[in-house]
Amino acid sequence: MGLELIRSLKEGEGKRVYWIKDIVVAVTRENMGVMRDIIHKYQHERISLVEAGETRHRSIFNGLKALAKDQPDSQLSKPEVVIIHDAVRPFVEEDVLFNIVTAAKEHGAAGAIRPLVSTVISPSADGCLDHSLERARHRASEMPQAFQFNVIFEAYQQCSDHDLEFGTECLHLALKYSHTKAKLVEGSPDLWKVTYKRDLYAAESIIKERISHEICVVMDPKEDEEPVESLLKALKNELNDVKIESGELCQAGRDIQQSRLAECYNFVCMNETWKLLNMLEESNLSILYPVVVISVNFSDLKLVPLSQKMESLMWIRQSAKEMKKRNILLYGLIIDYSQGEQKLRDSLREGAIIIAALIKERSSGLVGQLMVA
């Protein structure tokens, strides 16, 4: 944590924000190898590394100098607009970036702001209250910030050593040295900083919540439609704030073909589990976040005893260990549909509750378990 991310903006292709061409990360010398391993492991693209300085401003200046070189043999080129962002604010949304960049193009500089949640006071030398600021008239300066490249680079070139050692506000440098008044743009509540260890737990919770908001139900055309449709209805009743898509897997291609499945991290499979697992293994979907796969099996337990059914599904337990190494969390669920109409509805609702809990919790301890509803 504490790395400065300097993102240069030009037309180009990207996985998440397509209009960001290059990302320059300032990293301390002792962490350079670790960062290269992270880039390789998670297959990040368009990232260049520069050595961080001893202070925030010196790190940013090093990143700007890397972008300013504009050498023919360099992978970087001087951008029109540059975004400066903290790695400790991981939840910035694309629309915030877009609004700040748009404002920077027009005004030369722009930055995100948020209302103050606490009153700012100034203590005297003897530790007593000197004065306080009127909270309603002031704002907290946040990241990201964006600048026309020449505006911020020329400002850093004119900085004093005192600025580089003790300064913390890039917008102030643009005003002081480039005479550019920044446009202030209201930011989102997600711009908080991951600073302390407890913040990591909050960040993990936010990530779990975000990737749990869509479920893809993989259908088998040979499966009886009635229990499947009933389970879908029960899922929608149980997870009314979650987007649920359903469809069949494509027959052609080695990757997940359907666009609606490409960014989904939660799969409920009806007898198509092996095909989906093979597709997920060959895709890069599980590199960043764990993918949940729940293999749902409808069974008439009056005809096939539960012990026999569970024995036939032991492959789930055996495969789950290998899948876990690939960040794929595999679970099994048996739904008995040999009961009366009311009991079947109760089983489907219980199945929906189990599915919802597995997706929300993403528990590695339950991987490979066969549950019965």
Side-chain angles (χ1 to χ4, degrees):
M1 293 188 287
L3 305 175
E4 301 297 338
L5 284 176
I6 300 182
R7 304 165 182 246
S8 72
L9 172 69
K10 287 185 73 174
E11 290 185 1
E13 295 296 324
K15 286 185 176 180
R16 183 65 186 262
V17 184
Y18 72 91
W19 39 265
I20 291 181
K21 182 184 177 184
D22 301 310
I23 301 174
V24 179
V25 186
V27 188
T28 56
R29 182 179 300 176
E30 60 269 25
N31 287 318
M32 199 68 78
V34 175
M35 181 57 71
R36 289 195 182 99
D37 290 342
I38 291 172
I39 293 170
H40 176 74
K41 178 179 178 180
Y42 295 104
Q43 299 182 16
H44 291 309
E45 298 175 351
R46 303 169 293 131
I47 295 181
S48 300
L49 304 181
V50 298
E51 187 172 331
E54 294 182 356
T55 65
R56 169 189 173 85
H57 276 326
R58 292 190 187 280
S59 294
I60 294 172
F61 194 16
N62 287 349
L64 293 172
K65 284 187 282 190
L67 289 169
K69 288 180 181 179
D70 207 11
Q71 298 296 323
D73 58 342
S74 174
Q75 295 180 349
L76 301 173
S77 57
K78 188 169 75 173
E80 176 189 356
V81 173
V82 64
I83 303 170
I84 300 177
H85 188 55
D86 293 327
V88 292
R89 302 176 201 265
F91 300 115
V92 60
E93 296 288 348
E94 182 177 355
D95 60 344
V96 174
L97 293 170
F98 182 81
N99 292 338
I100 289 173
V101 166
T102 302
K105 282 187 174 182
E106 181 179 351
H107 298 276
I113 57 169
R114 290 288 299 158
L116 289 172
V117 294
S118 300
T119 299
V120 178
I121 62 172
S122 177
S124 61
D126 60 358
C128 297
L129 176 65
D130 184 66
H131 67 278
S132 64
L133 299 180
E134 186 181 341
R135 189 166 61 182
R137 294 186 57 202
H138 296 83
R139 293 291 183 271
S141 177
E142 307 284 2
M143 304 301 280
Q145 297 174 351
F147 305 85
Q148 292 178 14
F149 184 81
N150 290 338
V151 167
I152 192 63
F153 187 54
E154 289 172 8
Y156 269 92
Q157 287 177 307
Q158 299 175 65
C159 276
S160 66
D161 285 338
H162 185 273
D163 291 321
L164 293 174
E165 286 296 323
F166 302 106
T168 59
E169 181 54 74
C170 304
L171 298 179
H172 177 71
L173 296 183
L175 177 63
K176 180 178 180 180
Y177 293 109
S178 297
H179 311 293
T180 299
K181 286 187 176 182
K183 179 68 175 178
L184 304 180
V185 179
E186 194 70 27
S188 70
D190 293 332
L191 296 180
W192 57 281
K193 294 174 70 174
V194 180
T195 306
Y196 303 105
K197 186 175 182 179
R198 64 176 180 268
D199 297 331
L200 291 173
Y201 300 116
E204 183 180 13
S205 177
I206 290 173
I207 291 171
K208 279 185 177 181
E209 181 184 1
R210 288 190 176 186
I211 64 177
S212 298
H213 274 192
E214 184 172 354
I215 300 174
C216 297
V217 179
V218 181
M219 314 281 280
D220 183 353
K222 299 176 184 177
E223 185 71 53
D224 185 356
E225 290 185 8
E226 187 175 343
V228 175
E229 291 298 328
S230 298
L231 179 61
L232 279 174
K233 185 176 179 181
L235 268 175
K236 289 174 181 176
N237 289 336
E238 187 65 31
L239 300 165
N240 51 25
D241 61 336
V242 173
K243 181 181 178 183
I244 300 177
E245 298 277 0
S246 61
E248 301 172 19
L249 289 179
C250 272
Q251 299 297 318
R254 306 185 70 186
D255 224 331
I256 296 175
Q257 299 294 321
Q258 290 171 287
S259 59
R260 66 174 177 270
L261 301 184
E263 292 298 326
C264 183
Y265 290 91
N266 311 288
F267 295 89
V268 178
C269 294
M270 316 293 179
N271 295 340
E272 287 278 83
T273 309
W274 265 119
K275 184 188 288 186
L276 175 66
L277 290 175
N278 289 334
M279 289 180 171
L280 289 173
E281 280 190 275
E282 294 177 4
S283 76
N284 293 324
L285 188 62
S286 62
I287 287 178
L288 286 177
Y289 305 119
V291 174
V292 167
V293 177
I294 303 169
S295 178
V296 176
N297 299 266
F298 294 97
S299 181
D300 186 338
L301 296 182
K302 287 182 178 179
L303 299 176
V304 181
L306 178 59
S307 58
Q308 184 178 334
K309 184 63 179 178
M310 293 189 77
E311 188 174 343
S312 71
L313 294 174
M314 284 302 292
W315 67 267
I316 292 177
R317 181 166 295 180
Q318 294 161 0
S319 301
K321 293 180 180 179
E322 195 62 33
M323 291 297 109
K324 187 178 176 181
K325 296 176 184 177
R326 295 168 172 79
N327 215 18
I328 298 171
L329 308 180
L330 175 61
Y331 312 94
L333 175 62
I334 300 171
I335 296 179
D336 180 13
Y337 68 88
S338 63
Q339 312 164 62
E341 188 175 331
Q342 181 58 48
K343 286 188 175 181
L344 176 58
R345 280 201 296 268
D346 292 342
S347 283
L348 290 170
R349 183 174 179 275
E350 186 178 341
I353 291 172
I354 292 172
I355 290 170
L358 290 173
I359 287 173
K360 288 179 180 178
E361 295 301 322
R362 313 184 96 75
S363 171
S364 59
L366 292 176
V367 161
Q369 295 298 309
L370 300 175
M371 285 150 274
V372 181

